[in-house]
Amino acid sequence: MNLIRSIISLFLLLLLAVSIAGWMWAGGLPSPKMEGARFVLALCGLASLGGLGLLWNAKQAVTN
Amino acid sequence: MSTSAACSIDAADRKSTWMEKLNGPWHKYSLWVYTAIVLAHWMEHLAQTTQIYVLGWPIPESRGVVGLWIPWVVKSEALHYGYAIVMLIAFWILRTGFVGQSYRWWMVAFWIQFWHHIEHALLQGQAIFHHNLFGSPVPMSIVQLVIPRVELHLFYNTIVFIPMVIAMFYHMFPLPGEMPHQGCSCAWHPRMAKA
């Protein structure tokens, strides 16, 4: 289970890195494209972090 | 010699439909194929963003991997629409194999992809009728009015992919109450509490 979570997490971290790279790149765009691009890139980054949270906080079964 | 009058097919002998097979014994393989297609599509988007954000290429020249050799592929609205509709159909067809939490997350991904597909359908329509909306020189979708295309579709793919992968994770590692209801072999093993 942790192996699968780790593989998925690597991909989500890659998405987060792309979001950050995009945020930095978008600084060179004219308004309002810059704001629009940065807005969705921020959402991508937050979604990636949210996905990581969901993965690693998944409830485990309670056995007797 | 005895003859049977009416012959009734026992439920156990009834042949499964394609849908039942895809969401039953074939569910795992279907999801593997589906995942491979999704990841290949992701590689294209990630390659494109690397070309733009890291290598600093102009957007028209940033065509992913396949687009470097076959440029018309990236410029073709039909290809993008084709992928969107295939993904939407696959979401729908493979949904009944999911149960409980995994089903809820799968359907979240489905509805987001539904909107993503609508955006691509608008683009495809403009390409077909050679008439762009909103007086734009290029095909334009609704949210694209405020968000640049590359970032917009990176966003769409992200918010579809994450609930999809969460659904798959919960499907592979279901909660104990959900596992008996799965009719497929996708579950790896029951999640166990820490000792």
Side-chain angles (χ1 to χ4, degrees), chain B residues 28 43 138 141 154 178:
Chain B
K28 181 193 281 189
M43 291 305 108
V138 296
S141 66
L154 181 73
E178 294 173 354

Side-chain angles (χ1 to χ4, degrees), chain B residues 155-174:
Chain B
F155 170 67
Y156 281 147
N157 283 298
T158 297
I159 61 172
V160 169
F161 178 78
I162 289 175
M164 184 198 88
V165 82
I166 295 296
M168 287 182 166
F169 177 78
Y170 282 133
H171 190 56
M172 291 167 69
F173 304 103

Side-chain angles (χ1 to χ4, degrees), chain A residues 1 4-5 8 11-12 14-15 18 22 25 33 36-37 40-41 43-44 47-48 51 54-55 58-61 63, chain B residues 42 46 49 52-53 105 146-148 151 154-155 158 161-162 165-166 169-170 173 175-176 188 191-194:
Chain A
M1 180 169 156
I4 298 299
R5 284 202 283 205
I8 297 171
F11 194 87
L12 293 178
L14 179 60
L15 286 184
V18 167
W25 173 86
K33 280 189 176 181
V40 291
L41 287 165
L43 290 178
C44 286
S48 299
L54 281 168
L55 269 182
K59 289 186 173 61
Q60 293 187 324
T63 57
Chain B
W42 256 122
L46 292 175
T49 53
I52 298 171
Y53 301 154
W105 283 106
V146 291
I147 310 290
E151 286 74 30
L154 181 73
F155 170 67
T158 297
F161 178 78
I162 289 175
V165 82
I166 295 296
F169 177 78
Y170 282 133
F173 304 103
L175 292 172
W188 280 35
R191 285 184 282 179
M192 303 297 291
K194 292 178 185 175

Side-chain angles (χ1 to χ4, degrees), chain B residues 176-193:
Chain B
E178 294 173 354
M179 194 170 170
H181 299 285
Q182 286 188 192
C184 58
S185 58
C186 297
W188 280 35
H189 49 77
R191 285 184 282 179
M192 303 297 291

